[in-house]
Amino acid sequence: LAGMLIANGHVDASSCPDGGLESELTASICGLQQAIDEVVIWQNQFDQDIVQAARDTGVPAQLLKNVFSRESQFWPGIYSSYKEAGFGQLTEKGADTVLLWNPSFFSQFCPLVLYQDRCQLGFGNISETEQAMLRGALVNRVNAACPECPAGIDLTQAQFSIRVFAEGMVGNCEQTGRIISNITGQAPGTLTSYVDLWRLTLLNYNAGPGCLLKAVQRTVNAREPLDWAHISARLEPVCQSAIDYVEDISTALS
């Protein structure tokens, strides 16, 4: 974050021998010292939007802020290619999840891109071309890169990306719950704690539903409790990198 604030002219680090930058995207030690006050101000200016998104969607505010810190360090405009955009670094795969698993959000967003009669069919029933248009439009909408804006960031777009990411977490939560209920035939909340359900949602978001499904199935087959400790221990090797991700983000929820 310090590096981007310096590179985009929001922080003056000209007094540093290296101009405050160690590389194109990262600050040097001197640059970080020059930028630290603005870093704190920058990342906290979005707190109200995060809290409002949490109230509107039910996703814990601290979870959202922790994800934004890890994914983008609160700089939503690094990737001008739109492959990953916004505070949560939304990809087309992530856009697919929110559009498919969060029908309420789909019904609000779809008419901005397609005719209402197509939107009424639901995301899963429109053509692949239309699905691709919606995914691309959503990723585009959360990219806050704006060369002509102060600090190179469109704050309105940045704020919109907070709500989109929260809605995406709702979609991941719905998918996680469906996986558990399909395997066990029971409501997820009767088998797993509130905090662990969010941990599993983060796992689904980071590693994908395939990793979660296989780990839950193995845990059930072993007749073990459906909690984070047992399910994470059943993850396939290719999925285990998500353990550090989930535990880092969910620490404040415990």
Side-chain angles (χ1 to χ4, degrees), residues 40-167:
V40 173
I41 292 171
W42 181 274
Q43 66 184 15
N44 288 337
Q45 70 178 311
F46 305 105
D47 284 355
Q48 184 175 349
D49 298 294
I50 292 172
V51 169
Q52 188 60 54
R55 288 173 176 166
D56 292 342
T57 63
V59 180
Q62 191 64 59
L63 182 150
L64 291 174
K65 189 162 186 177
N66 289 358
V67 171
F68 296 157
S69 177
R70 176 146 180 158
E71 291 284 354
S72 68
Q73 294 188 40
F74 291 94
W75 189 263
I78 291 178
Y79 298 97
S80 60
S81 64
Y82 299 155
K83 291 182 179 179
E84 294 181 318
F87 287 116
Q89 296 299 280
L90 183 71
T91 63
E92 289 211 359
K93 183 178 179 180
D96 191 81
T97 299
V98 64
L99 292 167
L100 180 62
W101 287 94
N102 191 333
S104 175
F105 178 78
F106 168 79
S107 66
Q108 296 174 50
F109 183 75
C110 181
L112 301 178
V113 182
L114 302 176
Y115 290 115
Q116 184 64 45
D117 61 334
R118 300 301 298 167
C119 296
Q120 290 176 346
L121 298 175
F123 185 72
N125 296 317
I126 58 178
S127 70
E128 291 185 6
T129 299
E130 291 169 321
Q131 290 178 357
M133 288 176 60
L134 284 171
R135 287 193 297 267
L138 186 55
V139 174
N140 188 21
R141 281 291 303 275
V142 301
N143 190 332
C146 175
E148 66 274 14
C149 296
I153 295 295
D154 183 332
L155 293 179
T156 300
Q157 291 285 84
Q159 291 162 348
F160 180 72
S161 82
I162 292 173
R163 179 56 184 264
V164 171
F165 185 80
E167 296 286 1

Side-chain angles (χ1 to χ4, degrees), residues 174-246:
E174 290 292 332
Q175 189 174 35
T176 297
R178 182 70 61 84
I179 287 172
I180 293 174
S181 62
N182 283 350
I183 291 175
T184 65
Q186 299 183 55
T190 65
L191 301 170
T192 309
S193 71
Y194 173 82
V195 171
D196 278 355
L197 279 174
W198 281 116
R199 289 191 175 106
L200 297 179
T201 296
L202 286 168
L203 171 63
N204 189 76
Y205 165 75
N206 180 256
C211 288
L212 175 63
L213 187 149
K214 291 178 181 178
V216 170
Q217 187 65 69
R218 288 173 174 171
T219 305
V220 170
N221 292 345
R223 300 182 181 279
E224 295 173 339
L226 283 180
D227 55 29
W228 170 246
H230 288 88
I231 293 174
S232 61
R234 295 286 178 177
L235 285 168
E236 293 183 332
V238 71
C239 305
Q240 290 174 4
S241 62
I243 295 175
D244 173 70
Y245 180 89
V246 172

